[in-house]
Amino acid sequence: MTDSPALHEPLDPKEQPILEDLLSLRAKLSLLRQDKTTYIKSQDVLPLYEQVIEQVHLLNDIRADKRGEQNRVDRVLDDCFQLISLSFLTVGRNNEAPAVYAHTSAIKRLLDHLLEVSYYSAKDLESIEQTLEHIDEIIDRGQESYSPHLLTLLRARVQTCRDLVARLHRGISCLSPRMVPLHEKLVSMLRSIAAANTRHQFPADEVESFKKQLIEIQNSRKDGKFVETDTDNDSDSGVEIKRVNDGGQAIVAELLERCLKWADIVLERKGEIDEAFRPKYDRLRAIRNQLEALSLVKAWSLRETDLFSYQRELDRFDESRIDGNFVDEKGNPADLYHQRTLLYLIRRSYAWIYVLLISSEPVSEALVPVYNQLQTLRRCLMEVKHSGGVSSARELYPYSMKLNSIDNIRIDGKFMVNNDIPEGQAAANELLAECYEILHQLRVQKEEDDTDASDDEEEDDDDDDDNDNESEQGIVI
């Protein structure tokens, strides 16, 4: 396996045995990840985790007086923790401390890129902050179960991410509440133009439409200031008044100019990539597309350990830059168009990895087929419920039969796979119970509807009898 980036060998000879042991552990974890003939089980991962922690103890003892040391040992150790983290996710142990290491890596990369490009919105930071809070809770719960060395490492990584989030918040803190919607709109448009630029067929009309909207925003300024149209509620005339939004004028103006410039460049280049950067572009675009496809079918095809290869390949692309710039084989730096295009693909790929990580279900891959069937059943039952229920009790038979067939494969209330009890039993059983509850509600609703309909028919019959009696009495009179 290739390290990324290339770091020097350990200077202290005492670290060499640790490096060799970590390389061996990384190889074992990689073989475990690549073996698709069987499911990864907790008993496969936990011994390797313990061995990695043992090496961390030894390394900390050696580096007691040189905490800032960074060499190849640290890169290989990071690989090991990354593989262990993804393996914990694969076996469904999402809410345990080792599992969140991969999250901190993805978050750190995303935040670094947001700082670099300097355009983002508060909404971009909200999800990350929520994830960091969830990670903190998991770390706190793991105090009795996992090594303090791991927990200290995780807390340090979380704090690094929090510091970056704070810096990003300061960058947009001057935006007034009235300027926030316009700022978010411009951020969204800039990203949409970047996405259109990487399509297989360049959508010129779409980019032209974005440019037209940007020009309209530019022309709506008053004396160079962004204004907001309000209705004067204090008068009876309902006259519209232009109010100047003061907070964040400079930031939004700069972002608007950036959007217009990027739209012009993209329309000029029409998605054409120079041959010098074509290999990088093609591979990054393929990674982005593959991760996006995984996000659509993750419930059926994602094995979290597969994300390791994508992460490391993206790391190599990202860290191959010189002074922040991509260079071709001759060492020539990329122009603004190629630089922004390649950075967008890297950043978007990291974003998809983050989405896949936080949406991972706490269920072992061995239990995923059953869990996915239950999710599909629940979704179908909820659609039936929201559409007003069923017209006949017979319509519920297929759902009932499928639930019973899944329920019948349990042994003593547990879903077994090859005599193993996979992780995620609580989640699967909870989902099964929820499906039964929705099915019961639909049956009760149908019975109530039938009872109401029967009562209405009896009332109609009584009304008809009364009318007949009145008619007969009228004839007699």
Side-chain angles (χ1 to χ4, degrees):
M1 182 184 296
T2 303
D3 293 332
S4 170
L7 293 174
H8 62 78
E9 295 293 320
L11 299 177
D12 191 332
K14 294 179 181 177
E15 291 189 16
Q16 192 60 41
I18 296 175
L19 175 60
E20 293 174 359
D21 287 341
L22 288 174
L23 286 169
S24 175
L25 287 168
R26 187 179 69 174
K28 292 176 182 178
L29 286 163
S30 296
L31 288 174
L32 190 64
R33 173 180 69 88
Q34 295 166 1
D35 185 5
K36 301 297 179 67
T37 62
T38 184
Y39 298 119
I40 297 178
K41 298 182 285 293
S42 292
Q43 53 265 40
D44 299 326
V45 181
L46 290 175
L48 296 174
Y49 160 77
E50 295 293 345
Q51 293 175 53
V52 170
I53 291 298
E54 182 181 346
Q55 299 304 313
V56 172
H57 289 191
L58 296 174
L59 185 62
N60 286 342
D61 291 340
I62 294 172
R63 291 185 179 178
D65 300 325
K66 45 181 179 178
R67 293 297 185 185
E69 175 73 15
Q70 286 285 315
N71 55 46
R72 193 181 175 208
V73 174
D74 300 275
R75 169 56 66 175
V76 178
L77 180 60
D78 179 64
D79 285 346
C80 290
F81 274 128
Q82 196 78 16
L83 285 165
I84 286 170
S85 178
L86 294 171
S87 296
F88 265 69
L89 293 172
T90 301
V91 300
R93 304 181 75 147
N94 300 39
N95 296 318
E96 300 185 30
V100 300
Y101 186 93
H103 294 67
T104 60
S105 297
I107 291 172
K108 173 69 165 54
R109 289 283 181 178
L110 271 179
L111 294 173
D112 285 339
H113 274 270
L114 289 179
L115 278 172
E116 181 177 4
V117 298
S118 299
Y119 68 88
Y120 53 89
S121 68
K123 290 182 178 178
D124 295 325
L125 306 180
E126 288 175 3
S127 172
I128 290 176
E129 288 179 303
Q130 291 173 2
T131 302
L132 290 175
E133 289 177 4
H134 181 58
I135 290 174
D136 276 335
E137 294 172 0
I138 291 174
I139 293 173
D140 290 340
R141 288 200 301 267
Q143 290 183 1
E144 302 297 327
S145 307
Y146 291 100
S147 165
H149 295 281
L150 171 67
L151 300 181
T152 300
L153 173 62
L154 290 174
R155 287 194 179 97
R157 291 169 71 86
V158 169
Q159 187 57 49
T160 298
C161 293
R162 287 194 186 282
D163 292 342
L164 289 172
V165 169
R167 287 181 60 188
L168 289 164
H169 271 303
R170 288 195 294 271
I172 56 174
S173 60
C174 63
L175 287 171
S176 67
R178 290 186 174 184
M179 287 292 282
V180 168
L182 178 57
H183 181 263
E184 290 179 347
K185 181 178 181 180
L186 290 174
V187 169
S188 176
M189 291 175 70
L190 187 55
R191 289 173 178 171
S192 296
I193 295 171
N197 178 53
T198 58
R199 300 253 186 92
H200 181 66
Q201 293 292 334
F202 180 71
D205 292 343
E206 184 177 333
V207 179
E208 286 283 4
S209 175
F210 284 126
K211 183 180 177 181
K212 183 179 178 181
Q213 295 177 54
L214 292 168
I215 292 173
E216 289 175 355
I217 294 173
Q218 186 181 48
N219 293 337
S220 69
R221 289 195 286 181
K222 182 179 181 180
D223 298 329
K225 299 284 188 178
F226 294 97
V227 297
E228 181 181 30
T229 301
D230 282 346
T231 299
D232 187 0
N233 296 322
D234 296 332
S235 68
D236 296 332
S237 60
V239 176
E240 289 187 342
I241 299 176
K242 298 287 188 179
R243 303 185 190 276
V244 175
N245 294 321
D246 294 324
Q249 287 282 339
I251 291 178
V252 178
E254 181 182 354
L255 183 55
L256 176 59
E257 292 302 318
R258 185 171 185 174
C259 289
L260 285 166
K261 182 177 181 180
W262 183 234
D264 287 337
I265 293 174
V266 168
L267 285 170
E268 179 185 351
R269 302 300 291 262
K270 293 182 171 58
E272 294 295 330
I273 303 296
D274 291 347
E275 287 302 317
F277 295 98
R278 171 62 67 174
K280 285 185 174 70
Y281 173 82
D282 287 343
R283 182 56 195 150
L284 286 171
R285 187 171 174 273
I287 292 173
R288 190 273 311 269
N289 292 344
Q290 289 166 16
L291 289 169
E292 184 175 2
L294 275 176
S295 72
L296 299 175
V297 296
K298 62 179 182 295
W300 300 97
S301 61
L302 176 64
R303 193 184 206 187
E304 283 81 359
T305 49
D306 293 340
L307 296 177
F308 180 80
S309 297
Y310 292 112
Q311 285 180 312
R312 282 298 177 250
E313 191 169 3
L314 288 170
D315 292 348
R316 286 194 290 274
F317 274 115
D318 200 13
E319 293 161 359
S320 68
R321 294 186 287 158
I322 298 177
D323 297 327
N325 294 319
F326 290 98
V327 295
D328 60 17
E329 293 182 352
K330 298 179 181 180
N332 299 316
D335 60 12
L336 180 63
Y337 173 73
H338 290 91
Q339 178 74 5
R340 285 191 180 179
T341 299
L342 295 175
L343 275 177
Y344 166 77
L345 290 171
I346 288 180
R347 187 172 63 255
R348 192 61 183 157
S349 297
Y350 278 130
W352 280 123
I353 288 176
Y354 170 72
V355 169
L356 289 166
L357 287 173
I358 64 174
S359 60
S360 174
E361 299 286 354
V363 175
S364 168
E365 64 171 339
L367 201 54
V368 162
V370 170
Y371 190 78
N372 287 340
Q373 291 179 57
L374 288 170
Q375 282 190 313
T376 302
L377 269 172
R378 180 190 178 278
R379 187 162 51 248
C380 292
L381 288 167
M382 289 301 296
E383 288 177 0
V384 171
K385 183 178 180 180
H386 291 152
S387 64
V390 294
S391 58
S392 170
R394 291 179 178 273
E395 296 178 23
L396 298 176
Y397 289 169
Y399 302 110
S400 181
M401 291 175 64
K402 183 61 180 177
L403 280 175
N404 287 331
S405 68
I406 294 175
D407 198 357
N408 289 336
I409 66 175
R410 293 194 297 172
I411 300 176
D412 295 330
K414 296 182 176 61
F415 292 99
M416 307 287 290
V417 178
N418 298 329
N419 296 323
D420 291 322
I421 304 176
E423 302 288 342
Q425 295 290 325
N429 281 311
E430 182 180 349
L431 194 53
L432 177 63
E434 187 177 358
C435 289
Y436 271 126
E437 178 62 24
I438 298 171
L439 187 64
H440 174 70
Q441 291 173 2
L442 289 170
R443 283 202 184 100
V444 170
Q445 180 184 345
K446 177 56 183 169
E447 291 173 359
E448 291 176 350
D449 291 344
D450 289 344
T451 301
D452 292 342
S454 177
D455 291 343
D456 290 341
E457 289 178 3
E458 290 178 3
E459 289 178 5
D460 290 341
D461 290 341
D462 291 342
D463 290 342
D464 290 341
D465 291 340
D466 292 341
N467 291 333
D468 290 342
N469 292 334
E470 290 177 2
S471 298
E472 292 174 0
Q473 292 172 1
I475 293 173
V476 170
I477 292 172

